[in-house]
Amino acid sequence: MGNINLTPEEIQVIINSIDNCLKTCKEGGAGTGCPDCTKLQGVKEKLQAM
């Protein structure tokens, strides 16, 4: 896969979107083992480390 360059504002929008998704998961979120939320939580952590 390739790399993309994101501005800090774009990264924040993605983080906000991930937060919203994690909060509204019908499976209960990453804490309950939802595989999509678990992956999203990992992506969020990578973005926040940038």
Side-chain angles (χ1 to χ4, degrees), residues 29-48:
T32 63
C34 173
D36 289 338
C37 287
T38 301
K39 289 176 189 171
L40 271 178
Q41 186 64 45
V43 170
K44 178 183 170 185
E45 291 169 6
K46 286 181 182 180
L47 288 170
Q48 289 176 319

Side-chain angles (χ1 to χ4, degrees), residues 13-35:
V13 166
I14 294 169
I15 290 171
N16 292 347
S17 295
I18 290 172
D19 281 339
N20 184 54
C21 184
L22 291 171
K23 289 176 189 172
T24 60
C25 175
K26 293 178 182 166
E27 300 295 322
T32 63
C34 173

